[in-house]
DNA sequence: TTGCGATTGTTAATCATTCTCAATATAAGG
DNA sequence: CCTTATATTGAGAATGATTAACAATCGCAA
């Protein structure tokens, strides 16, 4: 059984909820890729594989996945929420190109240390942080200038 | 004439748009406070001062304010967009308490330097960045523990 | 003052998300 | 293998925020 399946089953059990084929299908689809996803594309992907799952089921699943730590909200793409899964993925952050939409992920421990210091100063106990940089990528800048 | 009025007028002029009493009223209201705002509370605040402005007018104004650099999107509060104005305010970031919703702003040049380095490595030209930390503030933690 | 384009408020439309509900599936206990 | 109580599902209706359409008004330049 896959690592994430085990973890999600445990979470559901703890709440008296059940692991269903629909839920498995959604998880499979989420973990099939490392990129970001939103509810609609997830639904489309499942449908295109022959699943008859309702989009409402996916919407209903999102909070469970978030609370169980399987996924977390990522950056917003044109104002609606996207998510990323948290397995085989260390916490990371995003450079987003505002022209082509390309997203580059990066990781920087140095920043985490600074943040810990800042949180300490303000008496905060942090449990998540998010860093998003918006800009223009090399390719788009080139196109723009020339 | 206030600094921000001058700047917004210039922006509108450059686009062949006009500075109206409604637009002034919205700006006044935005700059009356330093905190975050969303469209609905802005509308309520204006109404409670006797204005008859329509909420559609405010929605229509948001992109103009963003493009002119008067405001920028801030963190999301329960999934709908909030903004902050950019006058008398240096760029800053947020610690948000997930229990009581308190937001502490902080500023850290060191982080900006690190980000510049990272952007350089990826060929990005950054023009905005956003750093949000979610956690529990001292008061709430105290309450929690007993 | 006139005229043209921008702006406004109202109302209707749209879109994502959530809710309702009847039907079905699940897990646990016999 | 049955039974039962509860959780889950899909379909479609309902919601709520945001956007669009439109006719009436306003603001600016000539």
């Amino acid at each position: 059984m896959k690592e994430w399946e085990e973890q999600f089953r445990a979470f559901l059990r703890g709440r008296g909820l059940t692991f269903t084929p629909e839920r498995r299908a959604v998880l499979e689809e989420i973990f099939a890729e490392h990129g970001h996803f939103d509810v609609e594309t997830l639904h489309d992907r499942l449908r295109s594989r022959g699943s008859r799952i309702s989009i409402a089921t996916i919407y209903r699943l999102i909070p469970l996945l978030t609370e169980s730590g399987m996924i977390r909200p990522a950056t917003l793409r044109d104002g609606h929420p996207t998510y990323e899964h948290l397995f085989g993925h260390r916490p990371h952050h995003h450079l987003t190109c505002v022209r082509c939409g390309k997203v580059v992920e990066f990781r920087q421990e140095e920043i985490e240390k600074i943040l810990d210091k800042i949180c300490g100063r303000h008496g905060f106990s942090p449990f998540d942080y998010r860093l998003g940089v918006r800009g223009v990528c090399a390719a788009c800048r080139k196109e723009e200038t020339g």
Side-chain angles (χ1 to χ4, degrees), chain A:
Chain A
M1 194 189 296
K2 286 177 183 128
E3 185 186 10
W4 46 260
E5 178 170 336
E6 200 160 357
Q7 179 171 322
F8 193 50
R9 273 180 186 276
F11 169 81
L12 292 174
R13 210 178 307 121
R15 293 222 184 170
L17 306 177
T18 57
F19 190 76
T20 66
E22 289 81 6
R23 287 173 179 176
R24 181 203 298 272
V26 173
L27 278 200
E28 294 273 8
E29 197 58 53
I30 288 173
F31 286 104
E33 296 189 10
H34 266 323
H36 296 170
F37 63 90
D38 61 17
V39 169
E40 199 186 335
T41 57
L42 204 51
H43 186 232
D44 290 346
R45 273 158 59 191
L46 284 159
R47 290 296 193 133
S48 74
R49 296 196 181 196
S51 168
R52 304 200 153 285
I53 195 169
S54 157
I55 199 166
T57 298
I58 302 176
Y59 274 113
R60 283 188 281 236
L61 193 46
I62 294 290
L64 294 176
L65 293 173
T66 305
E67 286 160 33
S68 65
M70 312 293 287
I71 68 174
R72 71 167 190 179
T75 48
L76 279 94
R77 207 186 307 246
D78 339 294
H80 67 263
T82 63
Y83 306 90
E84 64 191 7
H85 72 72
L86 295 172
F87 272 77
H89 237 192
R90 308 245 322 176
H92 61 267
H93 306 289
H94 301 115
L95 302 177
T96 305
C97 177
V98 298
R99 293 232 173 279
C100 65
K102 186 171 73 176
V103 176
V104 175
E105 299 184 350
F106 67 92
R107 176 157 176 69
Q108 243 295 353
E109 281 88 356
E110 216 179 322
I111 291 176
E112 278 157 47
K113 281 186 214 133
I114 296 174
L115 287 180
D116 280 344
K117 239 189 308 181
I118 294 170
C119 285
R121 262 209 289 286
H122 290 91
F124 257 74
S125 308
F127 64 77
D128 186 26
Y129 78 100
R130 182 129 334 164
L131 176 47
V133 182
R134 302 193 313 141
V136 181
C137 73
C140 289
R141 195 173 51 254
K142 205 168 172 184
E143 209 172 279
E144 228 169 46
T145 345

